Amino acid sequence: MVNQNSAPIYEALKEFNSKRVVPFDVPGHKRGRGNPELTDFLGQKVMDIDVNSMKPLDNLNHPKSVIKEAEFLAAQAFRAHHAFFMVNGTTSSVQAMVFATVKRGDKIILPRNVHRSVLNALVLCGAYPIYINPEMNQRLGISLGMSLKSVKKAINENPDAKAIFVNNPTYYGICSDLKSIVSMAHEAGLFVLADEAHGTHLYFGEDLPQSAMAAGCDMSAVSMHKSGGSLTQSSILLTNERVNPDYMRQVINLTSTTSASYLLLSSLDLSRKHMVLNGKEVMKRVVDLVQYAREEVNEIGDYWALGEDLIDGDAVFDFDQTKLTINTLDIGLAGIEVYDLLRDEYDIQMELGDIANILAYVSVGDRKSDLERLVSALVDIRRRYKKDKTGMWMQEYINPELVVVPQDAFYGKKEAVDLLGSEGRVCTEFVMAYPPGIPILAPGERITMEIINYISYAKEKGCLITGTEDLEVKKLNVLKEDGEY
């Protein structure tokens, strides 16, 4: 491990700001002078470092100096062969992994409960998804991890597949047996891609589930801004020795901005430094806070805060103890209803509310007093709003049937039909509740009455349904019935 005390991008920006450089380049606000209201809102320091690529500050698309040094330090910190700083969000990291391993007609094995960014990548590159439908926990209404039996079956039935994609951990903290999946995949010659958007902290804490790089995955997308403390939209793409870093940079540059934000880049640099130097202490504190809250919530009655008791050694190989997922069904309210109550009446903003659960994302910036306030609010909601749970939906995810390759469906001849009259048709767009951003329907999938009823129920309960051309989701785009696309 090299010296992790430095932050090359941050230090270069400080050095740059110490000079009286006259800016005849972009951005046009010229260190804030051209937009005083924005400068007053964000602060002069922010505007001073909102600069463009130049020789002293390097260039993200072709790094040679300070960005290259910062990425090297990140690779060392994450125990990876290479690290790429990403400023288009972890969506761009996920899509770069897919673009680098599969092209039109290639097969990629993946759980169906992936983030929309993965399926968007399939629409763009034309690869064919081999879905492993996830195991379900019926009481919680959530999908679990990938069972080894399902992975082995998919690999054996698709010997021509090029890659396998894994969520680890899921939004809810569920972890698969990554090491065994990697072993099976590599034996079959497949690349292993990991979506670790919710797992940055696994690299820095102790007694947490195994990280993707430690398990031998070939690539991993980590959202440094989620549990690592950097600014929103900043991410890191990690690769191991089986991936050519020069080719990977070319793939990344296909969709990467040529005007990378130094606000985001410096936040990645400083957050890496902070987590390396203080991560063990920080994550122990986070785990302790969540464990305290979990015990308090489970003492209330009717709520269920998920914990390690879910572990079964297979579909729930491990559990991320930093996740505070709370099932709300026994108080007769959908998770999204509790989510709305917490925000509107108690000024508490949760990360997620779905049909059955809420999720509090606890990380480096949280305090015990914040969790005490959440627990008190949940007690009050139970007292004021508890009702009979008869008739409530319990399932967060319905296994759809893939009929047409996502790219062919998305770009095919389509027509808009009423949601309630769309049964049996093939969807050409995404339909998802956000968060978590896992599609209820994706392009190329058959619409069933169960799915229609689920969408209607989610709308009724107040879920934000996104991805459709019709913003009110009264109509869905489907393939025309002449079968041409």
Side-chain angles (χ1 to χ4, degrees):
M1 177 71 74
V2 296
N3 185 348
Q4 290 282 330
N5 285 288
S6 65
I9 299 173
Y10 162 72
E11 292 157 10
L13 284 166
K14 285 188 69 177
E15 172 68 18
F16 175 78
N17 276 336
S18 70
K19 301 176 180 179
R20 299 180 63 188
V21 176
V22 178
F24 285 117
D25 61 349
V26 297
H29 61 68
K30 306 294 181 175
R31 314 295 189 264
R33 293 192 300 271
N35 196 338
E37 186 174 10
L38 181 63
T39 303
D40 182 62
F41 177 60
L42 295 180
Q44 186 61 54
K45 286 186 176 180
V46 169
M47 304 304 280
D48 282 342
I49 63 170
D50 183 36
V51 294
N52 197 25
S53 296
M54 60 187 75
K55 194 169 184 179
L57 299 179
D58 209 353
N59 187 301
L60 183 62
N61 298 115
H62 194 86
K64 292 183 175 181
S65 58
V66 293
I67 294 176
K68 183 177 181 179
E69 293 169 22
E71 289 184 334
F72 176 76
L73 289 171
Q76 291 287 305
F78 284 90
R79 270 70 172 187
H81 188 258
H82 205 96
F84 299 87
F85 281 9
M86 309 291 284
V87 294
N88 295 20
T90 301
T91 287
S92 63
S93 299
V94 165
Q95 293 179 345
M97 294 193 301
V98 174
F99 295 154
T101 49
V102 291
K103 61 183 184 302
R104 180 168 174 82
D106 286 345
K107 292 180 181 178
I108 180 171
I109 298 168
L110 66 162
R112 174 54 182 75
N113 61 320
V114 290
H115 188 264
R116 68 167 294 176
S117 58
V118 186
L119 302 180
N120 283 345
L122 301 186
V123 166
L124 292 172
C125 75
Y128 188 87
I130 303 298
Y131 289 135
I132 296 176
N133 287 319
E135 305 289 324
M136 296 293 301
N137 182 300
Q138 296 302 327
R139 178 183 170 189
L140 289 171
I142 65 170
S143 47
L144 306 178
M146 298 168 76
S147 73
L148 296 183
K149 180 180 178 182
S150 297
V151 171
K152 185 176 182 179
K153 182 174 183 289
I155 291 175
N156 288 341
E157 291 179 353
N158 298 276
D160 54 341
K162 297 290 196 281
I164 184 166
F165 190 98
V166 187
N167 298 323
N168 201 77
T170 69
Y171 223 142
Y172 303 95
I174 307 298
C175 297
S176 300
D177 185 354
L178 268 187
K179 194 163 188 176
S180 295
I181 291 172
V182 167
S183 178
M184 285 191 288
H186 282 176
E187 187 177 346
L190 278 67
F191 283 97
V192 183
L193 322 177
D195 181 348
E196 276 189 307
H198 302 283
T200 304
H201 53 284
L202 303 184
Y203 291 88
F204 303 104
E206 294 182 313
D207 301 320
L208 292 174
Q210 189 175 48
S211 69
M213 289 293 103
C217 292
D218 299 298
M219 290 185 255
S220 174
V222 293
S223 285
M224 198 68 174
H225 71 91
K226 288 187 171 73
S227 58
S230 65
L231 292 179
T232 296
Q233 200 174 309
S234 59
S235 176
I236 298 178
L237 173 56
L238 305 172
T239 63
N240 263 338
E241 60 277 359
R242 293 181 76 215
V243 178
N244 180 339
D246 297 324
Y247 174 67
M248 197 69 221
R249 178 76 68 186
Q250 286 188 313
V251 172
I252 290 168
N253 286 345
L254 289 174
T255 56
S256 179
T257 177
T258 55
S259 303
S261 166
Y262 279 87
L263 296 169
L264 302 183
L265 293 174
S266 58
S267 80
L268 285 170
D269 203 16
L270 287 171
S271 297
R272 179 271 313 157
K273 176 183 174 182
H274 174 61
M275 291 303 286
V276 169
L277 300 180
N278 307 298
K280 287 184 181 179
E281 176 187 342
V282 166
M283 294 320 302
K284 183 181 185 308
R285 180 171 170 273
V286 169
V287 169
D288 289 345
L289 281 175
V290 174
Q291 184 57 31
Y292 157 77
R294 185 178 291 116
E295 292 172 357
E296 291 293 308
V297 169
N298 286 334
E299 283 293 317
I300 297 172
D302 295 320
Y303 296 109
W304 179 21
L306 281 60
E308 291 183 307
D309 53 319
L310 284 174
I311 294 174
D312 62 10
D314 190 17
V316 188
F317 182 75
D318 208 343
F319 182 77
D320 178 8
Q321 301 168 55
T322 71
K323 298 293 190 296
L324 183 59
T325 302
I326 302 168
N327 186 267
T328 65
L329 290 179
D330 284 347
I331 65 168
L333 295 176
I336 187 63
E337 292 176 307
V338 176
Y339 171 98
D340 286 341
L341 286 169
L342 286 168
R343 182 194 61 240
D344 296 341
E345 298 196 20
Y346 301 88
D347 294 328
I348 295 173
Q349 180 60 56
M350 301 297 280
E351 169 66 16
L352 173 151
D354 63 21
I355 293 299
N357 307 280
I358 53 173
L359 170 66
Y361 211 103
V362 184
S363 62
V364 295
D366 286 296
R367 304 166 296 183
K368 187 175 182 180
S369 59
D370 298 327
L371 289 163
E372 289 171 342
R373 184 170 160 187
L374 170 62
V375 172
S376 295
L378 291 174
V379 170
D380 200 45
I381 288 172
R382 178 178 180 266
R383 178 183 63 83
R384 295 173 61 193
Y385 296 102
K386 181 180 176 180
K387 60 184 180 181
D388 184 7
K389 66 176 183 178
T390 301
M392 297 191 68
W393 279 61
M394 299 183 65
Q395 190 162 316
E396 174 264 340
Y397 170 76
I398 300 168
N399 291 332
E401 175 195 2
L402 179 68
V403 182
V404 177
V405 176
Q407 185 181 69
D408 289 342
F410 186 84
Y411 290 110
K413 293 181 180 179
K414 63 191 73 174
E415 60 183 342
V417 300
D418 290 337
L419 170 65
L420 297 178
S422 64
E423 182 182 10
R425 304 296 294 273
V426 177
C427 190
T428 65
E429 58 187 350
F430 291 96
V431 184
M432 70 201 88
Y434 191 86
I438 298 167
I440 302 166
L441 277 170
E445 293 176 348
R446 180 88 64 195
I447 303 168
T448 65
M449 186 52 67
E450 186 181 20
I451 290 173
I452 293 169
N453 290 338
Y454 178 88
I455 294 170
S456 300
Y457 182 83
K459 286 173 60 181
E460 176 190 328
K461 290 297 182 182
C463 291
L464 175 63
I465 306 297
T466 68
T468 53
E469 187 175 323
D470 175 12
L471 298 183
E472 295 184 3
V473 202
K474 293 180 179 178
K475 292 181 177 293
L476 292 182
N477 284 340
V478 299
L479 280 179
K480 285 193 171 182
E481 291 188 314
D482 61 14
E484 295 183 14
Y485 38 84

